[in-house]
Amino acid sequence: MIVLKSSDGETFEIEEAVALQSQTIAHMVEDDCVENGIPLANVTGEILAKIIEYCKKHVEGGGGSEEELKIWDKEFIENIDQSTLFNLILAANYLNIKTLLDLTCQRVADMIS
Amino acid sequence: MDEELAMLRHLIGQLQELLHNASPPPPPPPPSSPSSFYLLHHPHYQNRWCLPCIEETSADDCCDIVMAAGKRPGIFKMLETAKPPHVKRSRKERRSFTQGDDDTSGNMDQEIWQEFPQDLFEALLSRLPIATFFQFRTVCRNWNVLIDSDSFSRCCTELPQTIPWFYTITHENVNSGQVYDPSLKKWHHPVIPALPKKTIVLPMASAGGLVCFLDIGHRNFYVSNPLTKSFRELPARSFKVWSRVAVGMTLNGNSTSHGYKVLWVGCEGEYEVYDSLRNVWTKRGTIPSNIKLPVLLNFKSQPVAIHSTLYFMLTDPEGILSYDMVSGKWKQSIIPGPPHLSDHTLAECGERLMLVGLLTKNAATCVCVWELQKMTLLWKEVDRMPNIWCLEFYGKHIRMNCLGNKGCLILLSLRSRQMNRLVTYNVVTREWTKVPGCTVPRGRKRLWIACGTAFHPSPTARA
């Protein structure tokens, strides 16, 4: 289990497989600096919760079919407000979660086009 | 048949005109403009965004109507509000964005998005539909800087390949291209200002978003990105060939930044390869004698490129001639063609070679699709046009032109004396879809496609 700490002091305990979807966290784990939990100074608790929700679903391909996962993604991304979307992009970029970054950026591209 | 004769007469006329006139040299590179807005009608700007110069709008091009209505897509607002590196914003500008916004598109809340980091812009822009790049009339300085940047180029190449577009020459309008966008089912009528005006220039091949043109007199090659008008006239070939040539084009890497190569081959077996990195023609030679000559290339069929190998269709003996751009080796494969076949062309889907053609038995004509079985080197039929559609051709003499040299989408132009059909076939989904007719400004008839090439639209490909 890995502990993540948001910028506003919230802590989240999650399974390693879930956390490793973030390349940034994966590198930290490799470099072995995760003993007291990982502080994420750029991510608030609210956004981190959303990210964890996404990562949990996407662990090992989501457990369902590809179609089901796409539908879940669509619902996930359509139900967030612009402010959350904005912060999600920045956090996905910082945490280096490619699939989430793709999803959020595509969403914004769709909104502005 | 009459239409073809008329076209042939027209083309001969043009060729005669060409021989009497010199073609104009390409325009010199422009000085950088002091203003922050680049307007549309600047035919001298080679590498700037030069959008379709449409004097009269056609019903197909509703992008003009959108722009005319004064709507400014959300992306411009975002770009303008982003913090560009060394530009100081005046107090006046700063005041104008905190005022209420009459933004009608996308409902993007400016207060949120104005803080969007510059470096993530590229991730957004690369995901915009290609047609967005194609439609904008005026752009701001930031936009141009972004489009030209290498990192944006990298972002675009990392995304999955888009559906190919088709650059075509229709039978009535041989002087300008008509571009079809299958994702939005729209025709665009771009003008590439740098192409010589007094001669007919035909699209022959494409790679990485660039289209290679050859003028009707078989003299000069030109390479251009139809979306950005990035343009290059290739140096003169080492030797002139007056017969028809087949032209193929490949990328050296996965984007135009690593360079590209253009090959032309004539029916006596002479060929040459252009290397864009050194800007020279090289590897001049003749197809080796172990390959049966004269090579009767099927000039109506476009060569297909898979990685760095070009595949040409042979008429006699039936089969495929391939050339590897890296090793410089030619290889001939004898592959018996399906019987009763006409107007056939090579196509490509996911690195598989396909064949599309008209199968005529008694009075019934049908469009069929075959895939090449690599192990046995035989064509295997994989699909046919739905019967209901084929019924329309019953008893009629049908001619077909087919563009399928890129991606898994094939554009078919079917015509007979009274009728004209444009259809796309998706090799992956096996869907046959009707294509809206192409009408040019001032044109009345729906046009059929005389020649063309599929290409992957890319806002960043540079000639």
Side-chain angles (χ1 to χ4, degrees), chain B residues 116-130:
Chain B
F116 199 75
Q118 187 82 359
D119 55 345
L120 283 177
F121 255 127
E122 287 161 2
L124 284 188
L125 290 187
S126 56
R127 288 170 170 84
L128 285 176
I130 299 286

Side-chain angles (χ1 to χ4, degrees), chain B residues 47-273:
Chain B
N47 287 320
R48 296 301 177 195
W49 284 93
C50 175
L51 300 141
C53 298
I54 301 169
E55 272 110 16
E56 289 121 286
T57 54
S58 80
D60 295 322
D61 245 327
C62 67
C63 57
D64 305 326
I65 300 167
V66 169
M67 294 311 300
K71 273 189 175 187
R72 300 185 66 233
I75 183 63
F76 288 143
K77 299 239 165 196
M78 281 189 74
L79 276 172
E80 283 165 26
T81 61
K83 299 185 170 78
H86 309 289
V87 172
K88 277 193 165 182
R89 250 194 312 238
S90 70
R91 213 174 286 144
K92 189 175 162 197
E93 283 179 88
R94 266 182 266 136
R95 242 189 290 135
S96 76
F97 346 87
T98 51
Q99 278 166 12
D101 213 71
D102 61 82
D103 176 25
T104 50
S105 60
N107 301 315
M108 303 299 287
D109 186 340
Q110 290 312 304
E111 298 238 341
I112 298 174
W113 297 97
Q114 66 194 30
E115 296 296 320
F116 199 75
Q118 187 82 359
D119 55 345
L120 283 177
F121 255 127
E122 287 161 2
L124 284 188
L125 290 187
S126 56
R127 288 170 170 84
L128 285 176
I130 299 286
T132 340
F133 291 93
F134 206 66
Q135 286 167 8
F136 294 152
R137 282 180 172 266
T138 59
V139 292
C140 62
R141 188 189 290 278
N142 283 348
W143 176 266
N144 275 339
V145 166
L146 247 149
I147 298 300
D148 283 342
S149 76
D150 286 334
S151 48
F152 181 65
S153 187
R154 266 196 301 275
C155 259
C156 287
T157 40
E158 276 164 24
L159 290 175
Q161 279 291 12
T162 48
I163 293 182
W165 284 19
F166 299 92
Y167 191 102
T168 70
I169 301 281
T170 52
H171 77 287
E172 259 188 13
N173 252 54
V174 292
N175 287 317
S176 63
Q178 318 303 327
V179 173
Y180 180 62
D181 169 4
S183 55
L184 293 181
K185 287 190 161 168
K186 282 180 59 57
W187 285 94
H188 298 281
H189 312 283
V191 171
I192 301 180
L195 281 176
K197 311 239 178 329
K198 291 182 181 153
T199 177
I200 295 172
V201 173
L202 302 176
M204 303 293 286
S206 78
L210 295 175
V211 176
C212 178
F213 299 88
L214 177 61
D215 71 34
I216 199 90
H218 299 162
R219 284 191 188 178
N220 299 310
F221 283 94
Y222 307 92
V223 171
S224 171
N225 179 340
L227 270 64
T228 65
K229 312 303 185 290
S230 167
F231 181 89
R232 185 194 289 213
E233 177 173 350
L234 302 195
R237 293 177 279 169
S238 312
F239 56 109
K240 298 277 179 279
V241 166
W242 297 105
S243 65
R244 268 183 102 162
V245 293
V247 179
M249 192 172 174
T250 56
L251 287 183
N252 293 343
N254 62 353
S255 81
T256 55
S257 48
H258 300 127
Y260 54 88
K261 293 195 170 68
V262 176
L263 163 85
W264 65 260
V265 55
C267 43
E268 301 294 320
E270 345 79 308
Y271 70 92
E272 230 185 350
V273 178

Side-chain angles (χ1 to χ4, degrees), chain B residues 208-383:
Chain B
L210 295 175
V211 176
C212 178
F213 299 88
L214 177 61
D215 71 34
I216 199 90
H218 299 162
R219 284 191 188 178
N220 299 310
F221 283 94
Y222 307 92
V223 171
S224 171
N225 179 340
L227 270 64
T228 65
K229 312 303 185 290
S230 167
F231 181 89
R232 185 194 289 213
E233 177 173 350
L234 302 195
R237 293 177 279 169
S238 312
F239 56 109
K240 298 277 179 279
V241 166
W242 297 105
S243 65
R244 268 183 102 162
V245 293
V247 179
M249 192 172 174
T250 56
L251 287 183
N252 293 343
N254 62 353
S255 81
T256 55
S257 48
H258 300 127
Y260 54 88
K261 293 195 170 68
V262 176
L263 163 85
W264 65 260
V265 55
C267 43
E268 301 294 320
E270 345 79 308
Y271 70 92
E272 230 185 350
V273 178
Y274 171 78
D275 178 343
S276 74
L277 290 175
R278 288 158 47 208
N279 195 29
V280 286
W281 287 97
T282 64
K283 293 202 169 141
R284 170 189 169 158
T286 313
I287 297 178
S289 50
N290 58 319
I291 290 174
K292 184 175 175 288
L293 287 175
V295 168
L296 273 174
L297 290 165
N298 180 331
F299 290 103
K300 252 194 92 183
S301 166
Q302 288 249 312
V304 156
I306 296 179
H307 296 308
S308 57
T309 307
L310 288 171
Y311 297 89
F312 299 86
M313 174 134 248
L314 291 176
T315 301
D316 178 29
E318 281 183 331
I320 287 180
L321 186 64
S322 71
Y323 178 75
D324 182 330
M325 290 283 217
V326 173
S327 66
K329 293 216 170 15
W330 289 92
K331 187 170 148 214
Q332 182 180 25
S333 309
I334 310 278
I335 305 171
H340 312 294
L341 188 64
S342 64
D343 287 353
H344 46 290
T345 29
L346 278 183
E348 180 259 329
C349 176
E351 301 181 19
R352 293 172 287 154
L353 276 177
M354 319 284 299
L355 180 70
V356 186
L358 284 176
L359 207 62
T360 308
K361 232 172 171 183
N362 304 321
T365 309
C366 185
V367 179
C368 288
V369 182
W370 293 264
E371 183 181 324
L372 185 65
Q373 306 293 292
K374 285 188 193 150
M375 288 286 114
T376 58
L377 282 188
L378 288 173
W379 293 111
K380 177 177 164 218
E381 186 176 321
V382 294
D383 208 353

